[in-house]
């Protein structure tokens, strides 16, 4: 078993703080990449219906030989499947593609507020949780206003919100809201836009100080902020490198320097405007 710290969700379920994401990885490559990640020690795998790689991810899980209880599998509900009954059917399809009896975490991928159906979708996730087919349920790309509606109109507080979060977009307001309400913060695009962030001279300086790469410094920063983080790579050496972040620490000066890199600029879409159907 890996040495990854565990984060306790608000229903008592434990989740590895470092996982492996497969966004933009084709299905056939996902099988190989997930297999490499599992071999490197990752036990948390994050996919989604819209990624088109649930089947390849499932094949890698099945062929790994690892006990199901050692794995933490996340997938997500796409915008076209919002609504109570459609969400339940979409979940069934994701389970089938993954080849699993349950997932560890099921998320609403985007609120798609213009369609105003995420509350009904959340009620479907509450049923999935009650039926034991997901060990925890949460959301992705929800802003505090979207979360407030769920808190006001439904019964279960999301266990986690997966949002764009990296040194160039640090989401202080959302992180504070999550902390206030017992919602874990998970970072997607944790390394920003790749070369742009990782070429930053401050990160290079901190990396040299610790004998690490800029990517390892950024992942360590996330961990010390108590974020759950899911870096993606299809390069075996980087898959391993991204996992090797537990035997050093950033000091207060490092954290302050990275904190100063914050900007108002997203890499991805604004959740208020992402209403793709």
């Amino acid at each position: 078993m890996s040495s990854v710290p565990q984060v306790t969700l608000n229903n008592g379920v434990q989740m590895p703080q470092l996982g492996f994401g497969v966004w933009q990885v084709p299905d056939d490559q996902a099988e190989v990449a997930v297999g490499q990640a599992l071999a490197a020690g990752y036990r948390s795998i994050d996919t989604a219906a819209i990624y088109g790689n649930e089947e390849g991810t499932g094949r890698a899980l099945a062929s790994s030989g690892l006990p199901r209880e050692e794995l933490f599998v996340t997938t997500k509900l796409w915008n076209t499947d919002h609504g109570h009954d459609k969400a339940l059917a979409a979940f069934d399809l994701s389970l089938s593609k993954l080849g699993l009896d349950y997932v560890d975490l099921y998320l609403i991928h985007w609120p798609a507020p213009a369609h105003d159906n995420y509350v009904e979708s959340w009620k479907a996730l509450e049923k999935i949780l009650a039926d034991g087919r997901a060990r925890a349920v949460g959301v992705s790309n929800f802003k505090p206003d979207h979360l407030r509606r769920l808190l006001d109109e439904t019964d279960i507080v999301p266990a986690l919100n997966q949002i764009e979060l990296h040194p160039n977009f640090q989401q202080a307001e959302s992180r504070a809201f999550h902390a206030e309400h017992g919602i874990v913060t998970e970072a997607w695009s944790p390394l920003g836009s790749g070369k742009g962030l990782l070429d930053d001279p401050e990160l290079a300086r901190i990396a040299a100080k610790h004998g690490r790469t800029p990517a390892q410094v950024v992942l360590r920063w996330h961990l010390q902020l108590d974020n759950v983080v899911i870096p993606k790579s299809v390069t075996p050496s980087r898959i391993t490198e991204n996992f090797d972040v537990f035997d050093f620490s950033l000091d207060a000066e490092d954290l302050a320097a990275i904190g100063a890199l914050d900007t108002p600029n997203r890499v991805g879409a604004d959740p208020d405007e992402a209403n793709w159907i």
Side-chain angles (χ1 to χ4, degrees):
M1 194 62 184
S2 71
S3 58
V4 177
Q6 302 288 305
V7 171
T8 302
L9 304 178
N10 59 17
N11 65 347
V13 168
Q14 289 198 314
M15 175 183 190
Q17 194 181 1
L18 175 66
F20 183 73
V22 294
W23 179 57
Q24 290 186 326
V25 180
D27 195 59
D28 57 341
Q29 290 185 36
E31 182 174 358
V32 174
V34 171
Q36 291 168 337
L38 295 172
Y42 294 83
R43 293 295 179 266
S44 177
I45 306 297
D46 179 277
T47 183
I50 195 63
Y51 298 170
N53 57 25
E54 289 173 313
E55 290 176 307
T57 297
R59 289 193 297 271
L61 297 172
S63 63
S64 71
L66 293 166
R68 176 66 182 91
E69 61 271 17
E70 286 191 16
L71 301 169
F72 193 99
V73 182
T74 301
T75 193
K76 311 180 194 77
L77 176 77
W78 186 240
N79 301 355
T80 49
D81 295 313
H82 276 212
H84 187 273
D85 292 346
K86 289 180 74 175
L88 292 177
F91 178 76
D92 287 342
L93 183 57
S94 284
L95 267 192
S96 175
K97 287 184 174 181
L98 286 163
L100 300 176
D101 296 324
Y102 67 92
V103 295
D104 299 277
L105 181 63
Y106 193 52
L107 307 179
I108 298 177
H109 205 150
W110 292 87
H115 304 290
D116 195 24
N117 221 356
Y118 63 83
V119 172
E120 285 306 306
S121 302
W122 183 250
K123 291 177 180 177
L125 268 65
E126 291 181 327
K127 175 174 171 48
I128 289 165
L129 180 69
D131 290 345
R133 298 200 299 152
R135 296 175 63 223
V137 290
V139 294
S140 180
N141 300 300
F142 275 50
K143 290 183 171 181
D145 284 350
H146 307 136
L147 290 168
R148 285 189 190 96
R149 274 200 69 190
L150 294 187
L151 297 178
D152 290 344
E153 299 178 32
T154 67
D155 295 327
I156 294 175
V157 176
L160 175 148
N161 187 16
Q162 183 184 120
I163 56 175
E164 178 183 342
L165 204 166
H166 45 81
N168 289 156
F169 192 67
Q170 297 185 21
Q171 295 262 44
E173 180 188 0
S174 285
R175 287 192 288 119
F177 186 92
H178 298 164
E180 179 185 352
H181 294 281
I183 301 168
V184 167
T185 300
E186 182 174 31
W188 65 257
S189 197
L191 302 176
S193 57
K195 287 292 184 185
L197 172 62
L198 298 182
D199 286 340
D200 185 277
E202 270 299 286
L203 290 178
R205 180 188 64 78
I206 296 168
K209 170 181 168 181
H210 292 280
R212 298 291 173 147
T213 67
Q216 288 173 318
V217 166
V218 172
L219 293 174
R220 185 69 209 175
W221 172 80
H222 281 287
L223 296 173
Q224 290 184 218
L225 288 185
D226 297 324
N227 298 334
V228 172
V229 62
I230 45 169
K232 178 213 86 173
S233 181
V234 295
T235 305
S237 61
R238 290 212 183 96
I239 291 172
T240 301
E241 174 189 304
N242 290 343
F243 194 74
D244 185 20
V245 290
F246 299 107
D247 59 352
F248 76 104
S249 293
L250 304 175
D251 59 29
E253 179 189 3
D254 301 331
L255 295 173
I258 297 172
L261 301 178
D262 197 17
T263 75
N265 303 318
R266 296 176 178 272
V267 171
D270 186 319
D272 281 326
E273 301 167 5
N275 294 294
W276 311 290
I277 290 290

